[in-house]
């Protein structure tokens, strides 16, 4: 319920309304925990995402959710909790990342759906960390349980905009940048679960091989729920628009991303679909990614290198790395120092969480082994 002169409800100088027992934003006057859902906001004015700034906290944006993450949990010295994030896009073509913590997760996670349009107000702005943020907005928004989020009906005026780059051009682009890619997903590998080196937590990944009409293909990795459902989502060779995928020089050139639209209704997708149907599916593509990523099989026999040819061609001496395939037998494993185990290590015996036989165990003076991860 909105009071006169204050679109967030409540009174006084607090733009986010009262946080007392009388109910806050997005809550009814009886203190209900359910957010207010409004289907008609024709009388309300909205701030474009591109117009958000740190000097104004009285804003309401109207935007479509283009990506929604899974719920993640954390636990550290400061406490524990949960969070999830969404990316929302408005009619100006600008998107922004929004994050929900703790109580806001319980309140909003099951109510927000990808592809639906909502109005959002009562959030806090902060400058975005562009190392991890792929959105156009220079800000990020944090919402709490007192924020207001209202469902809208009309989404036709909010359309995703792209600046597509051809796959062949990726080899000349610097890593760590972001690109929009329109391509055919011609191969979907089996999803795999890995353990993050940074957090020690399990992560699901899936590697796709995508190709366009530039004569090249590349490996693109998706993560989380998208990776777990990739076999179904990317079945039957769909045309997919990937939004702001990150470029990496891992394995030559590769991509990583989560924002995508399958079989988008845009002219470029129709043209690519026609090319694929005419003869594109029979085109021999040049791979920008090495075979080591798991999404592809081994290179053809004629493309393999011998050890002598690697030396003769002085591969590896250029400014940029050279990527190749060769088949050989290991005849020697070097140990750098006394006690070094070489290419393997003694792992923790604990097959359950958190180690799962992956973390190194160190031998103690009494001849036993100790794992710093699980303290066993």
């Amino acid at each position: 319920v909105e009071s006169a002169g204050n679109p967030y409800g409540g009174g006084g100088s607090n733009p986010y309304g009262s946080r007392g027992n009388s109910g806050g934003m997005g809550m009814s006057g009886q203190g209900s925990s359910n957010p207010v859902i409004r289907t008609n906001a024709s009388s309300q004015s909205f701030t474009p995402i591109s117009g958000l700034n740190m000097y104004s906290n009285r804003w309401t944006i109207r935007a479509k959710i283009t990506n929604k993450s899974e719920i993640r949990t954390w636990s550290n010295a400061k406490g524990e909790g949960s969070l999830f994030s969404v990316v929302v896009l408005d009619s100006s073509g600008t998107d922004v990342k929004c994050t929900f913590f703790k109580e806001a997760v319980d309140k909003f996670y099951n109510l927000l759906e990808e592809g639906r349009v909502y109005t959002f107000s009562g959030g806090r702005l902060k400058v975005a960390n562009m190392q991890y943020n792929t959105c156009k907005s220079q800000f990020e928004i944090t919402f709490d349980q007192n924020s207001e989020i209202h469902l809208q009906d009309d989404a036709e005026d909010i359309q995703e905009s792209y600046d597509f780059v051809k796959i062949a051009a990726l080899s000349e682009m610097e890593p760590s940048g972001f690109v929009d890619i329109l391509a055919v997903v011609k191969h979907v590998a089996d999803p795999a679960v890995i353990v993050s080196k940074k957090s020690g937590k399990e992560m699901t990944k899936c590697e796709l091989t995508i190709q366009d009409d530039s004569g090249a293909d590349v490996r693109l990795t998706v993560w989380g729920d998208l990776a777990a459902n990739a076999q179904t989502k990317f079945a039957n060779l769909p045309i997919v628009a990937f939004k702001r995928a990150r470029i990496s020089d891992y394995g030559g050139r590769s991509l990583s991303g989560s924002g995508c639209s399958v079989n988008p209704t845009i002219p470029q997708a129709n043209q690519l679909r026609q090319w694929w149907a005419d003869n594109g599916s029979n085109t021999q593509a040049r791979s920008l990614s090495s075979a080591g990523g798991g999404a592809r099989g081994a290179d053809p026999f004629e493309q393999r290198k011998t050890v002598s040819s690697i030396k003769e061609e002085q591969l590896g001496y250029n400014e940029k790395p050279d990527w190749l395939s060769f088949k050989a037998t290991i005849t020697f494993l070097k140990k750098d120092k006394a006690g070094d185990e070489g290419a393997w290590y003694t792992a923790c015996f604990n097959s359950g969480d958190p180690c799962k036989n992956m973390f190194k165990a160190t031998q103690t003076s009494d001849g036993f082994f100790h794992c710093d991860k699980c303290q066993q």
Side-chain angles (χ1 to χ4, degrees):
V1 178
E2 299 172 356
S3 63
N6 184 349
Y8 305 105
S13 59
N14 182 357
Y16 300 116
S18 171
R19 295 182 183 267
N21 293 331
S22 60
M25 295 170 299
M27 305 176 72
S28 72
Q30 300 300 319
S32 169
S33 61
N34 295 321
V36 177
I37 301 297
R38 181 180 58 209
T39 58
N40 185 0
S42 59
S43 61
Q44 186 174 3
S45 60
F46 304 108
T47 300
I49 292 175
S50 58
L52 295 174
N53 63 80
M54 300 293 289
Y55 303 102
S56 174
N57 51 21
R58 291 177 176 270
W59 49 260
T60 300
I61 60 174
R62 175 178 176 273
K64 178 169 67 174
I65 296 178
T66 60
N67 184 265
K68 178 184 175 184
S69 77
E70 57 191 9
I71 296 176
R72 294 176 303 197
T73 59
W74 82 87
S75 178
N76 54 36
K78 296 181 179 180
E80 58 184 25
S82 59
L83 66 89
F84 79 96
S85 63
V86 298
V87 174
V88 301
L89 172 78
D90 70 2
S91 57
S92 71
T94 303
D95 55 0
V96 65
K97 180 180 178 181
C98 308
T99 305
F100 300 76
F101 292 93
K102 296 186 177 181
E103 292 85 356
V105 174
D106 300 331
K107 185 172 182 179
F108 292 116
Y109 185 80
N110 292 327
L111 293 164
L112 299 180
E113 302 177 24
E114 281 191 28
R116 303 298 298 271
V117 176
Y118 302 83
T119 60
F120 300 83
S121 60
R124 300 192 315 274
L125 294 181
K126 69 174 184 178
V127 177
N129 183 345
M130 301 313 293
Q131 182 179 358
Y132 305 104
N133 191 322
T134 64
C135 297
K136 291 183 178 180
S137 175
Q138 62 181 313
F139 300 109
E140 296 178 1
I141 305 175
T142 300
F143 291 105
D144 62 21
Q145 74 273 21
N146 294 311
S147 300
E148 278 198 0
I149 300 177
H150 305 299
L151 178 66
Q152 299 289 289
D153 283 334
D154 186 13
E156 295 181 359
D157 61 322
I158 302 178
Q159 299 293 331
E160 191 81 72
S161 61
Y162 299 94
D163 185 14
F164 291 122
V165 171
K166 293 296 184 181
I167 291 176
L170 295 176
S171 59
E172 304 301 323
M173 302 181 72
E174 292 296 321
S176 300
F178 298 93
V179 291
D180 297 344
I181 295 287
L182 182 70
V184 179
V185 177
K186 67 177 187 179
H187 179 79
V188 183
D190 293 331
V193 177
I194 64 172
V195 176
S196 170
K197 292 182 179 179
K198 180 180 293 186
S199 65
K201 295 182 178 180
E202 291 186 344
M203 302 172 62
T204 304
K205 60 178 282 189
C206 182
E207 294 178 344
L208 316 176
T209 303
I210 61 174
Q211 179 181 342
D212 65 9
D213 54 4
S214 66
D217 67 28
V218 70
R219 186 175 65 247
L220 185 145
T221 304
V222 294
W223 302 87
D225 287 344
L226 183 59
N229 300 316
Q231 296 276 359
T232 301
K233 189 175 183 67
F234 301 113
N236 303 316
L237 303 169
I239 306 295
V240 182
F242 294 93
K243 185 72 173 177
R244 292 182 64 77
R246 184 187 292 270
I247 306 172
S248 170
D249 57 1
Y250 174 72
R253 278 292 183 270
S254 57
L255 298 170
S256 177
S258 56
C260 66
S261 177
V262 178
N263 294 319
T265 55
I266 55 178
Q268 300 97 314
N270 296 333
Q271 296 167 9
L272 186 61
R273 185 177 294 105
Q274 188 61 51
W275 167 81
W276 184 260
D278 289 343
N279 198 36
S281 58
N282 299 319
T283 302
Q284 182 65 38
R286 174 176 63 95
S287 177
L288 304 187
S289 306
S290 70
R296 299 173 52 83
D299 285 344
F301 180 79
E302 60 272 13
Q303 293 184 18
R304 286 186 188 174
K305 295 287 186 181
T306 61
V307 174
S308 60
S309 66
I310 295 173
K311 294 179 178 179
E312 291 170 0
E313 298 175 29
Q314 292 191 319
L315 299 179
Y317 288 92
N318 300 315
E319 183 178 346
K320 294 184 177 180
D322 295 307
W323 299 95
L324 54 91
S325 294
F326 72 99
K327 185 177 181 179
T329 300
I330 298 173
T331 60
F332 175 73
L333 290 174
K334 180 181 178 182
K335 294 185 178 182
D336 292 333
K337 57 184 179 180
D340 186 0
E341 296 175 334
W344 49 83
Y345 60 89
T346 303
C348 177
F349 75 94
N350 183 6
S351 60
D353 291 330
C355 295
K356 297 188 175 180
N357 301 131
M358 295 181 181
F359 290 89
K360 186 174 182 179
T362 305
Q363 190 170 18
T364 58
S365 58
D366 57 5
F368 293 95
F369 286 85
H370 180 266
C371 175
D372 291 334
K373 183 67 176 179
C374 66
Q375 297 298 314
Q376 296 188 47

